[in-house]
């Protein structure tokens, strides 16, 4: 398990399929090949993601693969929300992303309707 400040580097073979020569490996070496076969790194701290997952009373155990998958999905969601919010910023002819841009995206896109009310501050 990676520490809170560490990144897990993974190489995606689908993106580098043409760049790397094909090698015959034994079935026993598949875990080594799999762990080094992803290119994109996950930036969220795995220990924090696992702690959040375990805060759910229905979750007793979280496999490392599940933690990595959830962290990656979370990063992709944050990236998508950020891109949509920056588009709102650019439409307003501003250069600084503001909270109202996030609010606009959450209010106007059906895919973010589950976030309504969660961004309301104290």
């Amino acid at each position: 398990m990676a520490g809170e400040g560490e990144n897990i580097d993974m190489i995606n073979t689908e993106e580098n399929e043409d760049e790397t020569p094909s090698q015959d490996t034994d079935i026993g070496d598949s875990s080594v090949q799999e762990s080094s076969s992803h290119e994109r790194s996950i930036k969220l701290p795995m220990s924090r993601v696992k702690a959040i997952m375990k805060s759910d009373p229905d979750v007793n155990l979280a496999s490392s693969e599940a933690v990595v998958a959830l962290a990656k999905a979370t990063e992709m969601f944050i990236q998508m929300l950020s891109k949509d919010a920056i588009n709102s910023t650019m439409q307003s002819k501003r250069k600084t992303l503001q909270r109202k841009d996030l609010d606009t995206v959450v209010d106007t896109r059906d895919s973010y309707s589950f976030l309504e009310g969660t961004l309301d501050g104290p």
Side-chain angles (χ1 to χ4, degrees):
M1 179 56 76
E4 197 165 311
E6 296 178 27
N7 291 334
I8 295 178
D9 294 328
M10 303 166 141
I11 299 173
N12 187 351
T13 42
E14 294 172 6
E15 294 176 2
N16 294 328
E17 211 166 12
D18 298 338
E19 298 174 7
T20 57
S22 63
Q23 298 176 2
D24 293 332
T25 58
D26 294 335
I27 293 174
D29 294 337
S30 66
S31 63
V32 173
Q33 181 183 6
E34 188 177 309
S35 65
S36 65
S37 65
H38 301 282
E39 182 177 290
R40 301 189 61 130
S41 65
I42 296 177
K43 309 246 189 273
L44 293 175
M46 293 296 121
S47 59
R48 183 70 52 95
V49 172
K50 188 170 186 174
I52 292 169
M53 288 174 71
K54 285 190 160 195
S55 70
D56 184 345
D58 294 334
V59 176
N60 295 326
L61 251 130
S63 70
S64 60
E65 291 88 4
V67 174
V68 169
L70 187 63
K72 185 62 182 171
T74 303
E75 287 180 2
M76 292 171 69
F77 173 76
I78 292 169
Q79 183 179 24
M80 185 175 67
L81 179 62
S82 301
K83 283 182 180 180
D84 290 342
I86 198 68
N87 286 338
S88 174
T89 302
M90 294 172 82
Q91 287 176 354
S92 300
K93 297 183 179 165
R94 290 182 284 109
K95 294 182 181 180
T96 305
L97 180 66
Q98 298 174 354
R99 182 187 168 132
K100 65 182 177 182
D101 299 316
L102 287 170
D103 291 336
T104 300
V105 170
V106 168
D107 291 339
T108 58
R109 297 262 179 134
D110 290 337
S111 58
Y112 298 120
S113 62
F114 70 96
L115 291 174
E116 287 181 17
T118 59
L119 297 177
D120 297 336

